[in-house]
């Protein structure tokens, strides 16, 4: 009996580790991709052991002996963790989308910088807005709510009982990325569109002037000024974007089938 309980706890710890690993991999604000591999493994296994230790399902899950059952349970836990991390990933994707829109309007579309969080080439304004979002995430103490949400997931969906999330829920969360992206970039984008309109009119009235070289520094300056001004009014949108993540978790966890 004692041996069975110990084996059961080991499986619980491993399954819990997969859920936490899915969340950390899909959460760019934590910078998990830049952490050395050995530290990643110890961190995930340690947190998984804590989750298994305090999980209320520790006496409910039977000992898993079949290889197929182990693979299915592991895949379900990893899928649940990735689905939870997708909520935060979509929010930070909104800031990258807003930055990309600004880059195209300001003439920075061909420029890119290396983002160590995603290990990819990203836009200039997208990197700036993502850094601002990460600071806001910590300023609003959303990381505390993140920890509470992870703990809540173990009580809402016991270890070993993960499943396939609703496609409609994932699609709606993905759609919110575009909504918040347009909301964040709308003031500067609309202002730059007016600048393009004015440049177009001026080029028709004065065809001898090279409008492109005249408009480029004007658009850069106007975009920076409008972005700086709009940041004073971004707090409600930024706060709401993080609140949507945790409301998404509340709908995701009870709805996992």
């Amino acid at each position: 009996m004692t041996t069975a309980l110990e084996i059961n706890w080991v499986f619980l710890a491993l399954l819990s580790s997969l859920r936490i690993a899915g969340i950390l991999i899909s959460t760019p604000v934590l910078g998990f991709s830049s952490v050395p591999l050995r530290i990643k493994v110890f961190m995930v296994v340690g947190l998984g052991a804590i989750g298994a230790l305090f999980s209320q399902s520790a006496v409910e899950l039977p000992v898993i002996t079949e290889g197929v059952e182990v693979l299915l349970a592991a895949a379900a836990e990893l899928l649940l963790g990735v689905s939870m991390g997708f909520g935060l990933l979509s929010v930070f994707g909104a800031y990258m989308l807003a930055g990309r829109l600004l880059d195209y309007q300001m003439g920075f579309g061909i420029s890119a910088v290396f983002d160590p969080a995603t290990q990819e080439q990203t836009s200039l304004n997208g990197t700036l807005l993502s850094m601002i979002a990460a600071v806001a995430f910590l300023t609003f103490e959303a990381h505390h709510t993140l920890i509470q949400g992870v703990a809540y997931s173990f009580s809402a969906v016991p270890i070993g009982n993960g499943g396939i999330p609703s496609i409609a829920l994932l699609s709606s969360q993905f759609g919110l990325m575009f909504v918040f992206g347009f909301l964040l970039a709308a003031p500067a984008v609309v202002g730059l569109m007016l600048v393009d309109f004015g440049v177009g009119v001026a080029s028709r009235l004065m065809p001898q002037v090279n409008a492109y070289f005249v408009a480029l520094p004007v658009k850069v300056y106007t975009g920076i000024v409008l972005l700086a001004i709009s940041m004073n009014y971004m707090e409600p949108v930024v706060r709401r974007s993080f609140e949507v993540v945790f409301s998404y978790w509340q709908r995701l966890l009870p709805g996992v089938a």
Side-chain angles (χ1 to χ4, degrees), residues 50-89:
I50 294 175
L53 185 62
F54 292 98
S55 177
Q56 296 179 354
S57 64
V59 297
E60 300 174 1
L61 184 67
V63 177
I64 301 176
T65 56
E66 297 293 334
V68 177
E69 295 179 0
V70 174
L71 293 178
L72 291 177
E77 290 297 324
L78 183 60
L79 180 61
L80 179 58
V82 172
S83 301
M84 294 176 63
F86 172 74
L88 273 175
L89 183 63

Side-chain angles (χ1 to χ4, degrees), residues 140-154:
F140 296 152
E141 296 185 353
H143 55 293
H144 295 165
T145 310
L146 174 65
I147 297 173
Q148 294 175 358
V150 174
Y152 169 74
S153 70
F154 288 106

